Amino acid sequence: MSKKSFMEKLLDGVEVEWMALGEVAEIKRGTSITKRNAIDGNIPVIAGGRTAAYYHNVSNREGQTIVIAGSGAYAGFVSWWEQPIFVSDAFTVKPRGLLLARYCYHFLMNMQQQLHEFKSGGGVPHVYPRDVASVKIPIPCPENPNKSLEIQGEIVRILDIFTSLTAELTAELTAELTGRKKQYNYYRDHLLCFEKVEVEWKTLAEIGEFIRGKRFTKADYAEDGISAIHYGEIYTRYGVWTSHALSKVRFDMADSLRYAKPGDVIIAGVGETVDDVGKAVAWIGNEKVAIHDDSYAFRHSMNPKFISYVMQTAAFIDEKAKHVSRGKVNRLLINGIEKVRIPIPYPDDAEKSLAEQARIVSILDKFDALTNSISEGLPREIALRQKQYEYYRDLLLSFPKPEEVVA
């Protein structure tokens, strides 16, 4: 079905008038409030982000509400609410007369990028109601309100189907992923508790040494250069192990850097949360890799993947948490983490110990691969459904435009 034939059938020969959003909707600023002034309740406070900033005990908007973030990194972000909310550092678009609220929402979603581009201001970026008020929105046969709302309603019906399907798929895949992760975590922790294997628990200081990295910044990154791992990447971009670095820094820094060697386990020294601090990734690449000064290379003679898997267990994380300095930045206390013990299977037989470590790693690698395949498949499937929705949204909102209306 072509775009033209579908739209011709839908419009059935009626005229389309592009009208300024301010003509067919009330655009109203929110009421400034801070978290300190809010009274604890269950009413979401909508400010400059993608989700509720915090909660209050009263609302200033109810019913179907279109909200556009007014400031910050997400200024211009469009959201839809059907529950009572308190709009703060944002503004609302309330259609009237000729315009269906849900139709208006889908239209604004279709121009989300343009709304973000309305940002202005030297400090905190803002998107202002006056800019959104001038946006032109297509109104089919405005001289016949009933017919106009009927056409808008049909467009909404189709687009809402795709929105619902995307939400259902997301929930289904997320539930599957959650279940697989729980199963994986259970077997990992069970395998590494060594109920039936001769084992000795030794401190990290007894089996290896910690080597702190050297500082580099974002300004030092290069397209072609020395392979490097930043501490923030350890808990955001890497799993249990890796053989390739995702970043590079300038070649002329070679002598000022410090490196992890193949077989080292690289550990994040700081993080946004306590769980992030001490997150480990085994480096199994063929060459050394530069590490940031807020991370450590743990050098040892064991199976690096085995150590990294141990460091993901609930037991290790609980012990690790005792050695994290909490503040604006959570920081690993290296003198404390050195005292945390990990299990060494068959400690009196190095060959047998490494064989057992390799056996456990082989099992956990299979679980890890399965979990990661679902983790990777989840956003891919959701992205495909989102593209499908965006395709039909573009198709259904592609009304003929007069020459003076900029696409």
Side-chain angles (χ1 to χ4, degrees):
M1 182 181 295
S2 70
K3 183 184 296 187
K4 181 179 179 181
S5 63
F6 181 86
M7 292 307 297
E8 282 184 343
K9 184 176 180 180
L10 181 66
L11 293 174
D12 194 24
V14 304
E15 296 295 324
V16 174
E17 183 176 348
W18 288 76
M19 304 177 71
L21 191 57
E23 296 179 50
V24 289
E26 176 189 25
I27 301 176
K28 186 177 178 181
R29 290 179 181 272
T31 302
S32 181
I33 190 175
T34 65
K35 189 173 183 179
R36 179 180 299 176
N37 296 330
I39 300 172
D40 191 35
N42 60 359
I43 305 296
V45 176
I46 314 304
R50 291 171 175 253
T51 58
Y54 44 91
Y55 292 84
H56 194 27
N57 70 334
V58 296
S59 64
N60 60 6
R61 302 287 194 281
E62 295 190 9
Q64 296 182 335
T65 309
I66 301 168
V67 181
I68 299 179
S71 67
Y74 296 111
F77 179 77
V78 181
S79 61
W80 172 267
W81 299 84
E82 296 193 358
Q83 68 188 93
I85 58 175
F86 189 97
V87 179
S88 177
D89 191 11
F91 52 93
T92 53
V93 179
K94 185 178 181 181
R96 54 178 178 245
L98 286 171
L99 188 59
L100 280 181
R102 192 70 179 167
Y103 171 82
C104 180
Y105 166 74
H106 284 296
F107 177 81
L108 291 173
M109 287 293 291
N110 200 42
M111 60 173 301
Q112 179 68 88
Q113 185 56 42
Q114 292 97 309
L115 293 177
H116 284 312
E117 290 171 1
F118 281 147
K119 289 179 186 177
S120 61
V124 177
H126 282 74
V127 169
Y128 295 99
R130 64 174 180 267
D131 295 319
V132 177
S134 65
V135 167
K136 297 291 183 71
I137 185 169
I139 307 295
C141 57
E143 74 287 349
N144 185 342
N146 289 337
K147 180 68 174 177
S148 180
L149 295 175
E150 180 184 333
I151 293 172
Q152 293 176 46
E154 177 61 13
I155 291 171
V156 168
R157 185 187 70 81
I158 297 171
L159 292 180
D160 277 352
I161 288 173
F162 284 104
T163 302
S164 177
L165 287 173
T166 300
E168 289 176 9
L169 177 69
T170 301
E172 181 182 336
L173 291 177
T174 300
E176 181 180 357
L177 177 60
T178 300
R180 291 297 177 89
K181 281 186 174 179
K182 285 182 178 179
Q183 184 184 41
Y184 163 65
N185 291 342
Y186 170 80
Y187 280 108
R188 180 197 60 213
D189 289 11
H190 180 71
L191 274 171
L192 294 170
C193 73
F194 294 100
E195 293 176 347
K196 298 180 181 180
V197 174
E198 180 187 342
V199 66
E200 181 179 352
W201 292 77
K202 292 186 176 183
T203 66
L204 292 173
E206 290 180 280
I207 63 173
E209 62 175 327
F210 288 90
I211 300 160
R212 188 170 182 174
K214 285 289 187 74
R215 185 167 180 78
F216 55 82
T217 68
K218 287 183 179 179
D220 298 320
Y221 286 168
E223 292 259 341
D224 186 27
I226 299 165
S227 294
I229 292 179
H230 186 272
Y231 76 88
E233 296 174 322
I234 297 174
Y235 50 81
T236 58
R237 304 185 69 187
Y238 290 107
V240 178
W241 57 271
T242 186
S243 58
H244 295 89
L246 299 173
S247 301
K248 294 181 183 296
V249 294
R250 304 189 324 267
F251 281 119
D252 61 6
M253 299 182 66
D255 293 338
S256 65
L257 298 171
R258 194 166 286 161
Y259 301 85
K261 295 180 179 179
D264 287 352
V265 176
I266 305 170
I267 301 171
V270 300
E272 295 181 7
T273 68
V274 173
D275 285 346
D276 291 340
V277 180
K279 167 67 171 63
V281 55
W283 173 247
I284 59 171
N286 295 323
E287 299 178 347
K288 64 182 182 180
V289 61
I291 60 171
H292 190 268
D293 71 336
D294 277 324
S295 59
Y296 297 85
F298 180 61
R299 195 155 294 161
H300 54 89
S301 58
M302 296 177 64
N303 185 308
K305 284 188 180 182
F306 176 82
I307 292 179
S308 188
Y309 276 121
V310 170
M311 289 181 172
Q312 320 299 323
T313 62
F316 185 90
I317 290 171
D318 287 344
E319 287 299 311
K320 174 193 73 177
K322 299 174 183 177
H323 306 291
V324 174
S325 172
R326 293 165 172 80
K328 289 185 177 179
V329 176
N330 297 291
R331 186 173 296 278
L332 190 66
L333 302 174
I334 206 66
N335 291 334
I337 200 72
E338 286 181 336
K339 299 173 185 176
V340 176
R341 299 187 305 159
I342 68 170
I344 314 297
Y346 305 110
D348 298 326
D349 187 331
E351 186 177 345
K352 191 173 183 180
S353 180
L354 288 172
E356 179 64 10
Q357 293 171 43
R359 184 187 73 84
I360 291 171
V361 164
S362 177
I363 295 170
L364 292 177
D365 275 352
K366 291 182 176 67
F367 275 105
D368 189 59
L370 177 61
T371 305
N372 286 337
S373 67
I374 297 172
S375 299
E376 293 168 3
L378 173 63
R380 187 186 307 115
E381 286 296 323
I382 292 172
L384 287 173
R385 293 297 177 272
Q386 182 66 22
K387 285 182 180 179
Q388 189 178 40
Y389 159 68
E390 290 172 359
Y391 168 78
Y392 281 100
R393 185 181 65 198
D394 182 58
L395 176 73
L396 291 164
L397 294 173
S398 293
F399 290 98
K401 298 179 180 179
E403 291 182 1
E404 67 270 16
V405 177
V406 178

